[in-house]
Amino acid sequence: MLSSVSRTTRSAPLTTSLVQSRNIYRFPLSSDINITKSGKTKITTGLGGRHSKTGYQVSVFGATGFLGKILTSKLAKHGTITIVPFRNGRSKRHLKINGDYGVVNFHEFDIRNLKSIEESVAHSDVVVNLLGSHLNTKNFSMADANIESANRIAKISKDYGVDKFIHVSSYNADPNSPSEFFATKGISEQIVKEHYPDATIVRPAPMYGRNSRFLNDMLTLKVLGGNIIYRQEVYPTHVEQVAQALEKIIYDDSTIGKTYELYGNERYSKLELREMLKYMIHLNQYGFFPAASGYDMPVPEFISKIWCLLNEKLNPSLESFNYDTYRRSTLHQKIDPTALTYKDLGMVPDELADWLYKYVKPHIISSSQAKNRTVYGREEILKLRDYVNSPKNRLDLFGYGTKN
Ligand SMILES: NC(=O)c1ccc[n+]([C@@H]2O[C@H](COP(=O)([O-])OP(=O)(O)OC[C@H]3O[C@@H](n4cnc5c(N)ncnc54)[C@H](OP(=O)(O)O)[C@@H]3O)[C@@H](O)[C@H]2O)c1
């Protein structure tokens, strides 16, 4: 914390301990007392675990999402009072058990109802905004979910004197991006900075983890135009690590006003990942009829474009490929050299090869398991990556690979 008095340095002269603690992250429970940016005193209890209390109160917008549920569990585990604004009763139920009694608190809200936002942030020390959407739905456009929600939450948090605002944006966030998602995320950063010039901005790369959209999108059985929509190249990052980084940012005041880009060390094209996943889940390897065992149908770019446009027009809320998916496929992940990274938080990014099998295993097509029981450890994954990138049999037009 900005000015925390640790048990070990309490006897040192005050000025020395303040200077030492200013840039050094320490978990709040390692001090008896922590002082927030605006001078509030937080008294801690316990050394960690469910019966501890950090003394902090944090509101997490988007806590019911993929990243939010992991962050909530990390915060609640050590007794940080966590406020979970929610809109769907069923999506928040499982969060209650993350902490001791009274630690995880729910508040029904709607981004159109300002009072509900006020009540969600009123007594918090930190607000984390993870709320966002990658598609336009019947009720909320991407601009509503990414820009206007951030605008309202940041403005109200400021009015209510919330000390610290953390906004989760996205890799490639850029107000001038041709992609609606990246553009709305870029504008959201600017809007947040208008209310909170010292807001911390976090831009995660595509996140993998248990049941992640990033991997699930590539695990579908049948794909039309995968050669186009999977051509994007990205540096995937582990969702657990993004949540861990957010936890550090919440408690560490030296992160105020900074921008972090959180990404993995290795660059993958989604196309090569899709090829690797096909081998790992045994897709197309045993079935004779493609329709039964899944297929990849390569198409020219204009057909893929029309297909994505049709998907969007016919069912805008469909969690599948829409026109912005097509637009994003043309934009490789760009790294901002001025942004801070995991390294600045004292973290080393996880490698996808160490985790891929764990997250893909539940998707292995069960009927094929009797024939192929390969366990893909790190070595096998790296070999598979080399294999899918090596020139293959030209007759293998549909990318079925070699049958075992
Ligand atoms: N996942 C990635 O790979 C990735 C990559 C880059 C950036 N990001 C950004 O990182 C943040 C967290 O990602 P995530 O994967 O955890 O997202 P997610 O699983 O899609 O969760 C989004 C959260 O926002 C809430 N939300 C969306 N639209 C809303 C609306 N109109 N009104 C109220 N609540 C709304 C959802 O509530 P419900 O549960 O009620 O739907 C959910 O809690 C998002 O801002 C996302 O854009 C994610």
Side-chain angles (χ1 to χ4, degrees), residues 41-322:
T41 307
K42 301 288 164 191
I43 298 174
T44 62
T45 321
L47 296 171
R50 282 175 84 86
H51 298 300
S52 305
K53 294 273 178 288
T54 62
Y56 283 85
Q57 178 166 319
V58 180
S59 299
V60 184
F61 286 85
T64 53
F66 173 57
L67 172 61
K69 67 185 175 201
I70 299 172
L71 178 62
T72 307
S73 117
K74 287 195 186 299
L75 294 175
K77 192 163 77 180
H78 299 300
T80 293
I81 303 296
T82 310
I83 311 296
V84 174
F86 71 97
R87 60 172 174 169
N88 171 356
R90 281 198 303 176
S91 64
K92 55 95 172 154
R93 287 182 306 189
H94 55 287
L95 297 175
K96 189 77 190 170
I97 50 162
N98 285 321
D100 211 350
Y101 289 121
V103 170
V104 182
N105 300 276
F106 300 110
H107 190 77
E108 189 160 3
F109 97 116
D110 190 304
I111 56 175
R112 292 164 295 196
N113 180 342
L114 300 183
K115 192 159 186 301
S116 69
I117 302 178
E118 288 169 6
E119 287 163 357
S120 305
V121 303
H123 305 288
S124 290
D125 304 301
V126 184
V127 168
V128 187
N129 179 31
L130 309 174
L131 197 153
S133 177
H134 63 289
L135 71 168
N136 294 312
T137 63
K138 187 177 161 195
N139 295 309
F140 298 101
S141 65
M142 273 192 254
D144 294 334
N146 296 336
I147 304 175
E148 192 48 32
S149 66
N151 180 27
R152 290 175 182 204
I153 297 168
K155 182 176 183 313
I156 292 172
S157 302
K158 193 72 189 175
D159 293 347
Y160 274 77
V162 174
D163 267 358
K164 205 167 164 181
F165 194 88
I166 301 165
H167 177 64
V168 175
S169 174
S170 171
Y171 69 99
N172 284 1
D174 172 8
N176 302 316
S177 173
S179 150
E180 199 176 343
F181 177 72
F182 294 144
T184 51
K185 283 290 189 184
I187 297 169
S188 76
E189 289 182 9
Q190 293 176 338
I191 298 259
V192 165
K193 286 274 181 183
E194 276 173 25
H195 300 297
Y196 270 93
D198 59 356
T200 307
I201 306 287
V202 178
R203 299 185 192 134
M207 294 181 279
Y208 60 86
R210 190 173 297 283
N211 211 10
S212 56
R213 195 182 311 117
F214 174 63
L215 291 179
N216 286 359
D217 278 355
M218 282 180 279
L219 283 163
T220 38
L221 288 185
K222 297 159 195 173
V223 178
L224 181 75
N227 54 325
I228 303 296
I229 48 182
Y230 293 138
R231 62 193 159 167
Q232 191 191 25
E233 291 177 10
V234 290
Y235 296 84
T237 186
H238 196 183
V239 66
E240 293 280 344
Q241 284 205 305
V242 177
Q244 199 185 336
L246 281 171
E247 191 192 12
K248 287 190 169 200
I249 291 169
I250 286 171
Y251 298 126
D252 183 355
D253 284 354
S254 69
T255 60
I256 284 178
K258 298 189 176 152
T259 300
Y260 290 85
E261 283 206 350
L262 304 178
Y263 52 88
N265 279 335
E266 286 152 295
R267 186 178 171 109
Y268 282 88
S269 80
K270 289 186 179 177
L271 213 51
E272 71 178 312
L273 268 174
R274 165 74 176 166
E275 280 298 306
M276 288 162 70
L277 295 180
K278 271 162 62 180
Y279 281 96
M280 290 171 74
I281 65 169
H282 313 158
L283 187 66
N284 298 143
Q285 292 188 42
Y286 301 106
F288 182 74
F289 297 105
S293 63
Y295 59 81
D296 265 17
M297 187 77 79
V299 295
E301 182 155 352
F302 78 95
I303 295 201
S304 171
K305 217 166 160 178
I306 294 169
W307 179 238
C308 288
L309 193 63
L310 274 178
N311 266 330
E312 176 160 327
K313 295 285 169 225
L314 296 179
N315 190 349
S317 305
L318 197 70
E319 270 273 350
S320 86
F321 307 123
N322 57 24

